[in-house]
Amino acid sequence: MTLDDLMDPPSKHYGDFLKFTLAQPESVSPANWQLANGTAVELWDTGVLVFNPPVTSGLDLILSSGIHGNETAPIGLCAAICQDMLQGKVVATQRVMFLFGNPPAMNAGKRELVDNLNRLFSGHHAKGPDEYSWERQRAANLEAYVTRFFQEGGSEKKRALYDLHTAIRGSKFEKFAVYPFLHGQPWSETQFEFLAACDVHTVLLMQTPASTFSYYASNSHGAAAFTIELGKVRPFGENDMSRFTACDHSLRRLITGASLKVPPFALANFNLFAVNRAINKTTEDFSLSFAANIENFTQLPVGSLLAIDGNTEYRVEEGGEAIIFPNANVALGQRAMLLVKPIDISGQTTRD
Ligand SMILES: [Zn+2]
């Protein structure tokens, strides 16, 4: 698929930026063109597309998907919005950047090729062997693109980055967001309202810095940023896209400057959790001690065995502890599971 196919109405792939990206997964020459509605489109790299409308409101928005290559639902969701914008059916009133994070892994149908891309931001890509993997180089490049996008918008603009994912396993709460550590700043009621408009009512509030894309955008650029988990990972073609209608509509309203259809913020409308502790994998002799298909946010009785790491046993220590993101197949030293607990943040939110 060529750039002309992407740009020109006669092509059956007109506006299909996902197909264009997957046809050139490692790199592509930059290009610029203009839509009939006056929006300037800039192709910066494979999977990196910027829309600059002639008149903009106050937001610079980044929508990323495919940071994990096999998380097809959010990739399809973003691809459809992007195609409607390229075809002029959706007219942006905000600057918008679409990012497909890991196109080679998307082609391979894998979460990653070598490194977990979402553990490489805020400079973590520079740690490790001198020879960079695709993911390490991509993380460095994505940081540069995010920096350039926000800098070109100017510091007076509001900034947001929504990094869309699907989880490896099912969840007691189908959709949930991870709110990166804010270093003591209050949580945003406007952003909680946006999450609710996306049918996301469960939020994990992080209390430490992280190597994720959303923490990077939040901490390095002052963006309202979230990792948003939209459900369980499935192959292309096997997603029930009706599960994502609220998210799809809300993103389109954000892009076009329409107001969100959502009731005013109230803490009672959310299930909020904070990390109680993390269990890291420290030996190759690491195993999880519960059923492989356990759902995120499952609570087990106090004393239940969670994992065995060499000679160390991990058990549920407190009532209310719930399991999230268990994964024995992580690299040594990385997080194999989080244990979270409900949290009350009354008085710690702000209207912004
Ligand atoms: Zn993911």
Side-chain angles (χ1 to χ4, degrees):
M1 179 176 166
T2 67
L3 190 60
D4 284 343
D5 292 329
L6 183 67
M7 292 164 51
D8 294 334
S11 163
K12 67 178 177 181
H13 300 307
Y14 174 41
D16 191 343
F17 183 55
L18 175 59
K19 191 173 185 68
F20 179 81
T21 297
L22 296 181
Q24 290 140 112
E26 303 220 348
S27 67
V28 66
S29 300
N32 302 293
W33 66 101
Q34 192 166 347
L35 304 180
N37 60 34
T39 297
V41 183
E42 300 173 9
L43 174 66
W44 287 4
D45 192 355
T46 184
V48 182
L49 196 68
V50 173
F51 290 84
N52 275 316
V55 179
T56 60
S57 323
L59 177 69
D60 284 345
L61 174 66
I62 300 176
L63 295 180
S64 68
S65 61
I67 290 286
H68 294 135
N70 61 344
E71 297 178 359
T72 55
I75 295 168
L77 183 83
C78 290
I81 298 173
C82 187
Q83 182 157 28
D84 282 350
M85 291 171 70
L86 285 170
Q87 293 184 351
K89 296 173 185 168
V90 169
V91 181
T93 63
Q94 324 279 7
R95 293 178 68 240
V96 183
M97 177 158 76
F98 285 90
L99 297 175
F100 293 129
N102 197 338
M106 287 157 62
N107 274 337
K110 291 182 173 172
R111 183 174 171 82
E112 66 223 19
L113 297 182
V114 175
D115 293 307
N116 181 347
L117 186 51
N118 213 21
R119 299 286 177 275
L120 293 174
F121 292 95
S122 299
H124 285 261
H125 52 77
K127 299 174 181 171
D130 287 345
E131 186 155 344
Y132 267 45
S133 64
W134 155 263
E135 282 97 357
R136 287 174 64 198
Q137 186 58 54
R138 183 66 163 172
N141 292 347
L142 290 177
E143 287 185 0
Y145 299 141
V146 169
T147 301
R148 177 179 159 194
F149 177 76
F150 284 141
Q151 282 181 349
E152 288 183 357
S155 58
E156 73 284 0
K157 302 277 287 292
K158 286 194 173 182
R159 298 170 171 178
L161 181 145
Y162 300 125
D163 185 28
L164 308 180
H165 288 250
T166 45
I168 293 172
R169 56 192 59 250
S171 175
K172 296 282 180 204
F173 308 105
E174 184 193 38
K175 301 181 180 71
F176 61 97
V178 179
Y179 205 143
F181 181 47
L182 296 179
H183 296 263
Q185 297 296 309
W187 291 283
S188 163
E189 296 176 5
T190 313
Q191 292 300 320
F192 275 114
E193 287 176 354
F194 171 74
L195 293 173
C198 292
D199 199 22
V200 175
H201 300 277
T202 302
V203 183
L204 177 57
L205 305 164
M206 302 303 284
Q207 270 110 46
T208 54
S211 48
T212 59
F213 201 22
S214 60
Y215 175 79
Y216 166 73
S218 171
N219 185 58
S220 294
H221 298 287
F226 296 89
T227 308
I228 303 178
E229 303 279 356
L230 290 174
K232 189 179 174 186
V233 68
R234 298 183 201 285
F236 273 118
E238 294 183 18
N239 294 296
D240 173 5
M241 294 309 280
S242 71
R243 312 288 304 165
F244 312 111
T245 303
C247 187
D248 179 60
H249 287 184
S250 297
L251 289 173
R252 288 168 186 265
R253 297 182 79 83
L254 200 61
I255 288 167
T256 57
S259 57
L260 296 173
K261 289 179 177 170
V262 64
F265 170 76
L267 274 179
N269 296 338
F270 293 89
N271 305 304
L272 301 180
F273 292 89
V275 176
N276 203 36
R277 56 195 171 114
I279 294 176
N280 291 335
K281 174 178 175 178
T282 64
T283 74
E284 288 298 349
D285 196 16
F286 182 97
S287 63
L288 299 172
S289 304
F290 38 73
N293 63 350
I294 199 167
E295 294 185 313
N296 279 324
F297 295 103
T298 296
Q299 295 182 359
L300 295 174
V302 172
S304 301
L305 188 61
L306 293 169
I308 301 173
D309 189 12
N311 295 320
T312 306
E313 286 188 357
Y314 292 98
R315 294 177 182 275
V316 177
E317 292 176 350
E318 301 174 46
E321 274 193 330
I323 298 161
I324 191 166
F325 299 136
N327 184 1
N329 298 320
V330 295
L332 280 186
Q334 292 207 338
R335 180 188 86 198
M337 183 188 330
L338 288 176
L339 293 162
V340 301
K341 286 190 73 173
I343 185 175
D344 180 5
I345 60 167
S346 302
Q348 300 173 68
T349 59
T350 184
R351 193 81 222 164
D352 55 357

Coordinates of all heavy atoms in Angstrom, one line a residue, residues 186-270:
P186 N -3.3 17.0 43.0 CA -4.6 16.5 43.1 C -5.0 15.8 41.8 O -4.6 16.2 40.7 CB -5.5 17.7 43.4 CG -4.7 18.8 42.9 CD -3.3 18.5 43.0
W187 N -5.9 14.8 41.9 CA -6.5 14.1 40.7 C -7.5 15.0 40.1 O -8.3 15.7 40.7 CB -7.0 12.8 41.2 CG -5.9 11.8 41.6 CD1 -5.1 11.2 40.7 CD2 -5.5 11.4 42.9 NE1 -4.2 10.4 41.5 CE2 -4.5 10.6 42.8 CE3 -6.0 11.8 44.2 CZ2 -3.8 10.0 43.9 CZ3 -5.4 11.2 45.3 CH2 -4.3 10.3 45.1
S188 N -7.6 14.9 38.7 CA -8.5 15.8 38.0 C -9.9 15.3 37.8 O -10.1 14.2 37.3 CB -7.9 16.0 36.6 OG -8.8 16.5 35.7
E189 N -10.9 16.1 38.3 CA -12.3 15.7 38.2 C -12.7 15.7 36.7 O -13.5 14.8 36.3 CB -13.1 16.7 39.0 CG -12.8 16.6 40.5 CD -13.6 17.6 41.3 OE1 -14.5 18.3 40.8 OE2 -13.3 17.7 42.5
T190 N -12.2 16.6 35.9 CA -12.5 16.6 34.5 C -12.1 15.3 33.8 O -12.8 14.8 33.0 CB -11.8 17.8 33.8 OG1 -11.9 19.0 34.5 CG2 -12.3 18.0 32.4
Q191 N -10.9 14.8 34.2 CA -10.4 13.6 33.6 C -11.2 12.4 34.1 O -11.5 11.5 33.3 CB -8.9 13.4 33.9 CG -8.0 14.4 33.2 CD -8.2 14.4 31.7 OE1 -8.3 13.3 31.1 NE2 -8.2 15.5 31.1
F192 N -11.6 12.4 35.4 CA -12.5 11.3 35.8 C -13.8 11.4 35.0 O -14.4 10.3 34.7 CB -12.8 11.5 37.3 CG -11.8 10.9 38.2 CD1 -11.0 11.7 39.1 CD2 -11.6 9.5 38.3 CE1 -10.1 11.1 39.9 CE2 -10.7 8.9 39.1 CZ -9.9 9.8 39.9
E193 N -14.3 12.5 34.7 CA -15.5 12.6 33.9 C -15.3 12.1 32.5 O -16.2 11.4 32.0 CB -16.0 14.1 33.8 CG -16.6 14.6 35.1 CD -17.0 16.0 35.1 OE1 -16.7 16.7 34.1 OE2 -17.6 16.5 36.1
F194 N -14.2 12.3 31.9 CA -13.9 11.8 30.6 C -13.8 10.2 30.7 O -14.4 9.6 29.8 CB -12.5 12.3 30.1 CG -12.1 11.6 28.8 CD1 -12.7 11.8 27.6 CD2 -11.1 10.6 28.9 CE1 -12.3 11.2 26.5 CE2 -10.7 9.9 27.8 CZ -11.3 10.2 26.6
L195 N -13.2 9.7 31.7 CA -13.1 8.3 31.9 C -14.5 7.7 32.0 O -14.8 6.7 31.4 CB -12.3 7.9 33.1 CG -10.8 8.2 33.0 CD1 -10.1 7.9 34.3 CD2 -10.1 7.4 31.9
A196 N -15.4 8.3 32.8 CA -16.7 7.8 33.0 C -17.5 7.9 31.6 O -18.2 7.0 31.3 CB -17.5 8.7 34.0
A197 N -17.2 8.9 30.8 CA -17.8 9.0 29.5 C -17.4 7.9 28.6 O -18.1 7.5 27.7 CB -17.5 10.3 28.9
C198 N -16.2 7.3 28.9 CA -15.7 6.2 28.1 C -16.1 4.9 28.8 O -15.6 3.8 28.4 CB -14.2 6.2 28.1 SG -13.5 7.6 27.1
D199 N -17.0 4.9 29.7 CA -17.5 3.7 30.4 C -16.4 3.1 31.3 O -16.4 1.9 31.5 CB -18.1 2.7 29.4 CG -19.0 1.7 30.0 OD1 -19.6 2.0 31.1 OD2 -19.2 0.6 29.4
V200 N -15.5 3.9 31.7 CA -14.5 3.5 32.6 C -14.8 4.0 34.0 O -14.7 5.2 34.2 CB -13.1 3.9 32.2 CG1 -12.0 3.6 33.2 CG2 -12.7 3.4 30.8
H201 N -15.1 3.1 35.0 CA -15.5 3.6 36.3 C -14.5 3.0 37.4 O -14.8 3.2 38.6 CB -16.9 3.2 36.6 CG -17.9 3.8 35.6 ND1 -18.4 5.1 35.8 CD2 -18.4 3.3 34.5 CE1 -19.2 5.3 34.8 NE2 -19.2 4.3 34.0
T202 N -13.5 2.3 37.0 CA -12.6 1.7 37.9 C -11.2 2.3 37.6 O -10.8 2.3 36.4 CB -12.5 0.2 37.7 OG1 -13.8 -0.3 38.0 CG2 -11.5 -0.4 38.7
V203 N -10.5 2.9 38.6 CA -9.3 3.6 38.3 C -8.3 3.1 39.4 O -8.6 3.1 40.6 CB -9.4 5.1 38.4 CG1 -8.1 5.8 38.1 CG2 -10.5 5.6 37.4
L204 N -7.1 2.7 38.9 CA -6.0 2.4 39.8 C -5.1 3.6 39.9 O -4.5 4.1 38.9 CB -5.3 1.2 39.2 CG -4.0 0.7 39.9 CD1 -4.3 0.3 41.3 CD2 -3.4 -0.5 39.1
L205 N -4.9 4.1 41.1 CA -4.1 5.3 41.3 C -2.7 4.9 41.8 O -2.5 4.3 42.8 CB -4.8 6.2 42.4 CG -6.3 6.6 42.2 CD1 -6.9 7.0 43.5 CD2 -6.4 7.6 41.1
M206 N -1.8 5.3 40.9 CA -0.4 4.8 41.2 C 0.3 5.8 42.2 O -0.1 7.0 42.2 CB 0.4 4.8 39.9 CG -0.1 3.8 38.9 SD -0.4 2.1 39.4 CE 1.3 1.6 39.4
Q207 N 1.2 5.3 43.0 CA 1.8 6.1 44.0 C 3.4 6.1 43.9 O 4.1 6.6 44.8 CB 1.5 5.6 45.4 CG 0.2 6.2 46.0 CD -0.9 5.3 46.0 OE1 -0.7 4.2 46.5 NE2 -2.1 5.7 45.6
T208 N 3.8 5.6 42.7 CA 5.3 5.7 42.5 C 5.5 6.0 41.0 O 4.6 5.7 40.2 CB 6.0 4.4 42.8 OG1 5.3 3.3 42.1 CG2 6.0 4.1 44.3
P209 N 6.7 6.6 40.6 CA 7.0 6.7 39.2 C 7.0 5.4 38.5 O 7.2 4.3 39.2 CB 8.4 7.3 39.2 CG 8.5 8.0 40.6 CD 7.7 7.1 41.5
A210 N 6.8 5.4 37.2 CA 6.8 4.1 36.4 C 7.5 4.3 35.1 O 7.8 5.5 34.7 CB 5.4 3.7 36.2
S211 N 7.8 3.2 34.4 CA 8.4 3.3 33.1 C 7.4 3.2 32.0 O 7.7 3.0 30.8 CB 9.4 2.1 33.0 OG 8.8 0.9 33.4
T212 N 6.1 3.6 32.3 CA 5.1 3.5 31.3 C 5.0 4.7 30.4 O 5.5 5.8 30.8 CB 3.7 3.3 32.0 OG1 3.5 4.4 32.8 CG2 3.7 2.0 32.8
F213 N 4.3 4.6 29.3 CA 4.1 5.7 28.4 C 3.3 6.8 29.1 O 3.5 8.0 28.9 CB 3.4 5.2 27.1 CG 3.6 6.1 25.9 CD1 4.6 7.0 25.8 CD2 2.6 6.0 24.9 CE1 4.7 7.8 24.7 CE2 2.8 6.8 23.7 CZ 3.8 7.7 23.6
S214 N 2.2 6.4 29.8 CA 1.3 7.4 30.4 C 2.0 8.2 31.5 O 1.9 9.4 31.6 CB 0.0 6.8 30.9 OG 0.3 5.8 31.9
Y215 N 2.9 7.5 32.3 CA 3.6 8.3 33.3 C 4.6 9.2 32.7 O 4.7 10.4 33.1 CB 4.4 7.3 34.3 CG 5.3 8.1 35.2 CD1 4.7 8.7 36.4 CD2 6.6 8.2 35.0 CE1 5.5 9.4 37.2 CE2 7.4 9.0 35.9 CZ 6.9 9.6 37.0 OH 7.6 10.3 37.8
Y216 N 5.2 8.8 31.6 CA 6.1 9.7 30.9 C 5.4 11.0 30.4 O 5.9 12.1 30.6 CB 6.7 9.0 29.6 CG 7.4 9.9 28.7 CD1 8.6 10.5 29.0 CD2 6.8 10.2 27.5 CE1 9.2 11.4 28.2 CE2 7.4 11.1 26.6 CZ 8.6 11.7 27.0 OH 9.2 12.6 26.1
A217 N 4.2 10.8 29.8 CA 3.5 12.0 29.3 C 3.1 12.9 30.4 O 3.1 14.1 30.3 CB 2.3 11.5 28.4
S218 N 2.7 12.3 31.5 CA 2.2 13.0 32.7 C 3.3 13.8 33.3 O 3.3 15.0 33.5 CB 1.6 12.0 33.7 OG 1.3 12.7 34.9
N219 N 4.4 13.0 33.6 CA 5.5 13.6 34.4 C 6.4 14.5 33.6 O 6.8 15.6 34.1 CB 6.3 12.5 35.0 CG 7.4 13.0 35.9 OD1 7.1 13.6 36.9 ND2 8.6 12.6 35.6
S220 N 6.7 14.2 32.3 CA 7.6 15.0 31.5 C 7.0 16.1 30.8 O 7.6 17.1 30.4 CB 8.3 14.1 30.5 OG 9.2 13.1 31.2
H221 N 5.6 16.0 30.5 CA 5.0 17.0 29.7 C 3.7 17.6 30.4 O 3.1 18.4 29.7 CB 4.6 16.4 28.4 CG 5.8 15.9 27.6 ND1 6.7 16.8 27.0 CD2 6.3 14.7 27.4 CE1 7.6 16.1 26.4 NE2 7.4 14.8 26.6
G222 N 3.4 17.3 31.6 CA 2.3 17.8 32.3 C 1.0 17.5 31.6 O 0.0 18.2 31.7
A223 N 0.9 16.4 30.9 CA -0.3 15.9 30.2 C -1.2 15.2 31.1 O -0.7 14.5 32.0 CB 0.1 15.0 29.0
A224 N -2.5 15.3 30.9 CA -3.4 14.4 31.6 C -3.3 13.1 30.8 O -3.5 13.0 29.6 CB -4.9 14.9 31.4
A225 N -2.8 12.1 31.5 CA -2.4 10.8 30.8 C -2.9 9.6 31.6 O -2.9 9.6 32.8 CB -0.9 10.8 30.6
F226 N -3.3 8.6 30.8 CA -3.8 7.4 31.4 C -3.4 6.2 30.6 O -3.4 6.3 29.3 CB -5.4 7.4 31.5 CG -5.9 8.5 32.4 CD1 -6.2 9.7 32.0 CD2 -6.1 8.2 33.8 CE1 -6.6 10.7 32.8 CE2 -6.5 9.2 34.6 CZ -6.8 10.4 34.1
T227 N -3.2 5.1 31.2 CA -3.2 3.8 30.5 C -4.7 3.3 30.7 O -5.2 3.2 31.8 CB -2.3 2.8 31.2 OG1 -1.0 3.4 31.3 CG2 -2.2 1.5 30.4
I228 N -5.4 3.1 29.6 CA -6.8 2.7 29.7 C -6.9 1.3 29.2 O -6.6 1.0 28.0 CB -7.7 3.7 28.9 CG1 -7.5 5.1 29.4 CG2 -9.1 3.3 29.0 CD1 -8.3 6.2 28.7
E229 N -7.4 0.4 30.0 CA -7.6 -1.0 29.7 C -9.0 -1.2 29.3 O -9.9 -1.0 30.1 CB -7.2 -1.9 30.9 CG -5.8 -1.7 31.4 CD -4.8 -2.5 30.6 OE1 -5.1 -3.2 29.6 OE2 -3.6 -2.3 30.9
L230 N -9.3 -1.6 28.0 CA -10.6 -1.6 27.5 C -11.3 -3.0 27.5 O -12.4 -3.2 27.0 CB -10.6 -1.1 26.1 CG -10.4 0.4 26.0 CD1 -10.3 0.8 24.5 CD2 -11.5 1.2 26.7
G231 N -10.6 -4.0 28.1 CA -11.2 -5.3 28.1 C -10.1 -6.3 28.0 O -8.9 -6.0 28.2
K232 N -10.5 -7.5 27.5 CA -9.5 -8.6 27.4 C -8.9 -8.7 25.9 O -9.7 -8.5 25.0 CB -10.1 -9.9 27.7 CG -9.2 -11.1 27.9 CD -9.9 -12.4 28.3 CE -8.9 -13.5 28.2 NZ -9.5 -14.8 28.5
V233 N -7.6 -9.0 25.9 CA -7.0 -9.1 24.6 C -7.6 -10.2 23.7 O -7.9 -11.3 24.2 CB -5.4 -9.3 24.8 CG1 -5.2 -10.7 25.4 CG2 -4.7 -9.0 23.5
R234 N -7.8 -9.9 22.4 CA -8.3 -10.9 21.5 C -7.7 -10.6 20.1 O -7.3 -9.5 19.8 CB -9.8 -10.8 21.3 CG -10.6 -11.1 22.6 CD -12.1 -11.0 22.4 NE -12.8 -10.8 23.6 CZ -13.0 -11.7 24.6 NH1 -12.5 -12.9 24.4 NH2 -13.6 -11.4 25.7
P235 N -7.6 -11.6 19.2 CA -7.0 -11.4 17.9 C -7.9 -10.5 17.1 O -9.1 -10.3 17.3 CB -7.0 -12.8 17.3 CG -7.2 -13.8 18.4 CD -8.0 -13.0 19.5
F236 N -7.3 -9.9 16.0 CA -8.1 -9.1 15.1 C -9.3 -9.8 14.6 O -9.3 -11.0 14.3 CB -7.2 -8.7 13.8 CG -6.4 -7.4 14.1 CD1 -5.0 -7.5 14.0 CD2 -7.0 -6.2 14.3 CE1 -4.3 -6.4 14.2 CE2 -6.3 -5.1 14.5 CZ -4.9 -5.1 14.4
G237 N -10.5 -9.2 14.5 CA -11.7 -9.8 14.0 C -12.5 -10.5 15.1 O -13.6 -10.9 14.8
E238 N -11.9 -10.6 16.3 CA -12.7 -11.4 17.3 C -13.1 -10.4 18.4 O -13.6 -10.9 19.5 CB -11.8 -12.5 17.9 CG -11.5 -13.6 16.9 CD -10.8 -14.7 17.4 OE1 -10.7 -14.9 18.7 OE2 -10.2 -15.5 16.6
N239 N -13.0 -9.1 18.2 CA -13.5 -8.2 19.2 C -14.9 -7.8 19.0 O -15.4 -7.6 17.8 CB -12.6 -6.9 19.2 CG -11.2 -7.2 19.6 OD1 -10.9 -7.6 20.7 ND2 -10.3 -7.0 18.6
D240 N -15.7 -7.7 20.0 CA -17.1 -7.2 19.9 C -17.0 -5.7 20.1 O -16.9 -5.2 21.2 CB -17.9 -7.8 21.0 CG -19.3 -7.2 21.1 OD1 -19.6 -6.4 20.3 OD2 -20.1 -7.6 22.0
M241 N -16.9 -5.0 19.0 CA -16.6 -3.5 19.0 C -17.7 -2.7 19.7 O -17.5 -1.6 20.1 CB -16.3 -2.9 17.7 CG -15.0 -3.5 17.0 SD -13.5 -3.4 18.0 CE -13.1 -1.7 17.8
S242 N -18.9 -3.4 19.9 CA -20.0 -2.7 20.6 C -19.6 -2.4 22.0 O -20.2 -1.6 22.7 CB -21.3 -3.5 20.4 OG -21.2 -4.6 21.2
R243 N -18.7 -3.2 22.6 CA -18.2 -3.0 23.9 C -17.5 -1.7 24.1 O -17.3 -1.2 25.2 CB -17.3 -4.1 24.4 CG -17.7 -5.5 24.1 CD -18.9 -6.0 25.0 NE -18.6 -5.9 26.4 CZ -19.6 -6.0 27.3 NH1 -20.8 -6.2 26.9 NH2 -19.3 -5.9 28.6
F244 N -17.1 -1.1 23.0 CA -16.2 0.1 23.1 C -16.9 1.4 22.5 O -16.3 2.4 22.3 CB -14.9 -0.1 22.3 CG -14.3 -1.4 22.6 CD1 -14.2 -2.5 21.6 CD2 -13.8 -1.7 23.8 CE1 -13.7 -3.7 22.0 CE2 -13.2 -2.9 24.1 CZ -13.1 -3.9 23.2
T245 N -18.2 1.3 22.4 CA -19.0 2.4 21.8 C -18.8 3.6 22.6 O -18.6 4.7 22.0 CB -20.5 2.0 21.7 OG1 -20.6 0.8 20.9 CG2 -21.3 3.1 21.0
A246 N -18.9 3.6 23.9 CA -18.9 4.8 24.7 C -17.5 5.4 24.5 O -17.4 6.7 24.4 CB -19.1 4.4 26.2
C247 N -16.5 4.6 24.5 CA -15.1 5.2 24.4 C -14.9 5.8 23.0 O -14.4 6.9 22.8 CB -14.1 4.0 24.6 SG -12.4 4.6 24.6
D248 N -15.4 5.1 22.0 CA -15.4 5.6 20.6 C -16.1 6.9 20.5 O -15.5 7.9 20.0 CB -16.0 4.6 19.7 CG -16.0 5.0 18.2 OD1 -14.9 5.2 17.7 OD2 -17.1 5.1 17.6
H249 N -17.3 7.0 21.0 CA -18.1 8.3 20.9 C -17.4 9.4 21.6 O -17.3 10.5 21.2 CB -19.5 8.1 21.4 CG -20.3 7.2 20.5 ND1 -21.7 7.0 20.7 CD2 -20.1 6.6 19.3 CE1 -22.2 6.3 19.7 NE2 -21.2 6.0 18.9
S250 N -16.9 9.1 22.8 CA -16.3 10.1 23.7 C -15.0 10.7 23.0 O -14.7 11.9 23.1 CB -16.0 9.6 25.1 OG -17.2 9.2 25.7
L251 N -14.2 9.8 22.4 CA -13.0 10.3 21.8 C -13.3 11.1 20.6 O -12.7 12.2 20.3 CB -12.1 9.1 21.3 CG -11.4 8.3 22.4 CD1 -10.8 7.0 21.9 CD2 -10.4 9.2 23.2
R252 N -14.4 10.7 19.8 CA -14.8 11.5 18.7 C -15.3 12.9 19.1 O -15.0 13.9 18.5 CB -15.8 10.8 17.8 CG -15.2 9.6 17.1 CD -16.3 8.7 16.5 NE -15.8 7.5 15.9 CZ -15.5 7.4 14.6 NH1 -15.8 8.3 13.8 NH2 -15.0 6.3 14.2
R253 N -16.0 12.9 20.2 CA -16.5 14.2 20.7 C -15.4 15.1 21.2 O -15.4 16.3 21.0 CB -17.5 14.0 21.9 CG -18.8 13.2 21.5 CD -19.8 13.1 22.6 NE -20.5 14.3 22.8 CZ -21.6 14.6 22.1 NH1 -22.0 13.8 21.1 NH2 -22.3 15.7 22.3
L254 N -14.4 14.5 21.8 CA -13.2 15.2 22.3 C -12.5 15.8 21.1 O -12.1 17.0 21.1 CB -12.3 14.3 23.0 CG -11.2 14.9 24.0 CD1 -11.9 15.7 25.1 CD2 -10.4 13.8 24.6
I255 N -12.3 15.1 20.0 CA -11.6 15.5 18.8 C -12.3 16.6 18.1 O -11.7 17.6 17.6 CB -11.3 14.3 17.9 CG1 -10.3 13.3 18.5 CG2 -10.9 14.7 16.5 CD1 -10.2 12.0 17.8
T256 N -13.6 16.5 18.1 CA -14.4 17.5 17.3 C -14.8 18.7 18.2 O -15.5 19.6 17.7 CB -15.7 16.9 16.7 OG1 -16.4 16.3 17.7 CG2 -15.3 15.8 15.7
G257 N -14.5 18.7 19.5 CA -14.8 19.8 20.4 C -16.2 19.8 20.9 O -16.7 20.8 21.5
A258 N -16.9 18.7 20.7 CA -18.3 18.6 21.3 C -18.2 18.2 22.8 O -17.2 17.6 23.2 CB -19.1 17.5 20.6
S259 N -19.2 18.7 23.5 CA -19.2 18.4 25.0 C -19.5 16.9 25.2 O -20.2 16.3 24.4 CB -20.1 19.3 25.7 OG -21.4 19.1 25.2
L260 N -18.9 16.4 26.3 CA -19.1 15.0 26.6 C -20.5 14.8 27.3 O -20.9 15.6 28.0 CB -18.0 14.5 27.6 CG -16.6 14.6 27.0 CD1 -15.6 14.2 28.1 CD2 -16.4 13.6 25.9
K261 N -21.0 13.6 27.0 CA -22.3 13.3 27.6 C -22.0 12.5 28.9 O -21.8 11.3 28.8 CB -23.2 12.5 26.7 CG -23.7 13.2 25.5 CD -24.5 12.4 24.6 CE -25.1 13.2 23.4 NZ -25.7 12.3 22.4
V262 N -22.0 13.2 30.0 CA -21.6 12.5 31.2 C -22.1 13.3 32.4 O -22.2 14.5 32.4 CB -20.0 12.4 31.3 CG1 -19.4 13.8 31.4 CG2 -19.6 11.5 32.4
P263 N -22.6 12.6 33.5 CA -23.0 13.3 34.7 C -21.8 14.0 35.4 O -20.7 13.5 35.2 CB -23.6 12.2 35.5 CG -23.1 10.9 35.0 CD -22.7 11.1 33.6
P264 N -22.1 15.0 36.2 CA -21.0 15.7 36.9 C -20.2 14.7 37.8 O -20.8 13.7 38.3 CB -21.6 16.7 37.7 CG -23.1 16.8 37.3 CD -23.4 15.6 36.5
F265 N -18.9 15.0 38.0 CA -18.1 14.1 38.8 C -18.6 13.9 40.2 O -19.0 14.8 40.9 CB -16.7 14.8 38.9 CG -15.8 14.1 39.9 CD1 -15.2 12.9 39.6 CD2 -15.6 14.7 41.2 CE1 -14.3 12.3 40.5 CE2 -14.7 14.0 42.1 CZ -14.1 12.9 41.7
A266 N -18.6 12.6 40.6 CA -18.9 12.2 42.0 C -18.0 11.0 42.3 O -18.0 10.0 41.5 CB -20.3 11.9 42.2
L267 N -17.3 11.1 43.4 CA -16.4 9.9 43.7 C -17.2 8.6 43.9 O -16.6 7.6 43.6 CB -15.7 10.2 45.1 CG -14.4 11.0 45.0 CD1 -13.8 11.2 46.4 CD2 -13.4 10.3 44.1
A268 N -18.4 8.7 44.3 CA -19.2 7.5 44.5 C -19.4 6.7 43.2 O -19.8 5.6 43.3 CB -20.5 7.9 45.2
N269 N -19.2 7.4 42.1 CA -19.4 6.7 40.8 C -18.2 5.9 40.4 O -18.2 5.3 39.3 CB -19.8 7.7 39.7 CG -21.1 8.4 40.0 OD1 -21.9 7.9 40.7 ND2 -21.2 9.6 39.4
F270 N -17.2 5.9 41.2 CA -15.9 5.2 40.8 C -15.5 4.1 41.8 O -15.7 4.3 43.0 CB -14.8 6.2 40.6 CG -15.0 7.1 39.5 CD1 -15.7 8.3 39.7 CD2 -14.6 6.8 38.2 CE1 -15.9 9.2 38.6 CE2 -14.8 7.7 37.1 CZ -15.5 8.9 37.3

